[in-house]
Amino acid sequence: MKPGKSPGGLARLGPALRHSLAGLHAAWSEAAFRQEMALAVPLLALAFWLGRGWVEVALLAGSVVGVLIVELLNSGIEAAIDRFGDEWHLLSKRAKDLGSAAVLLALLLAGTIWATALYHRFFT
């Protein structure tokens, strides 16, 4: 096995969990992730009240978790780009802009799902 590589099979679950928890800890240093988490916690609880069945609950909760996932990926892209230095480069800007656009689309999707669910719950 290569140095630094995790073991295979079930033995890899422990190291994988540690890496995942380290990633969440690192994400907590990002203001955007903290803001989205502050909104996600009440929205996830609200999803169980607002949803009229498991599909609606899954869509509402999934859209919120999807935003968090995309934010984590965007933060990973930004960290990888920043590793190479502070100098401006067109490809670095493009990578960061694309990651930001992905977060925007995830937020728009979640907002649309939530607005539609609220409309159907209270106005139909």
Side-chain angles (χ1 to χ4, degrees):
M1 188 166 58
K2 292 182 181 177
K5 290 290 285 181
S6 297
L10 290 177
R12 74 174 192 80
L13 293 179
L17 178 60
R18 282 191 296 280
H19 292 305
S20 297
L21 293 175
L24 289 172
H25 186 263
W28 196 252
S29 69
E30 302 284 333
F33 185 76
R34 288 193 309 273
Q35 291 167 349
E36 291 160 354
M37 279 297 286
L39 191 58
V41 170
L43 285 178
L44 287 172
L46 189 59
F48 289 93
W49 173 79
L50 183 61
R52 292 187 173 169
W54 74 268
V55 173
E56 287 184 13
V57 171
L59 279 171
L60 291 165
S63 68
V64 171
V65 173
V67 169
L68 296 174
I69 292 168
V70 174
E71 184 62 51
L72 288 169
L73 293 171
N74 182 46
S75 294
I77 290 168
E78 288 180 354
I81 294 300
D82 290 346
R83 176 187 180 271
F84 291 103
D86 293 333
E87 68 276 355
W88 188 90
H89 192 280
L90 179 61
L91 292 177
S92 297
K93 179 186 181 328
R94 185 172 182 186
K96 288 185 173 192
D97 288 349
L98 289 168
S100 181
V103 173
L104 174 64
L105 290 179
L107 287 167
L108 290 173
L109 176 62
T112 301
I113 290 169
W114 276 84
T116 303
L118 288 167
Y119 175 79
H120 281 284
R121 175 72 179 238
F122 296 111
F123 301 108
T124 60

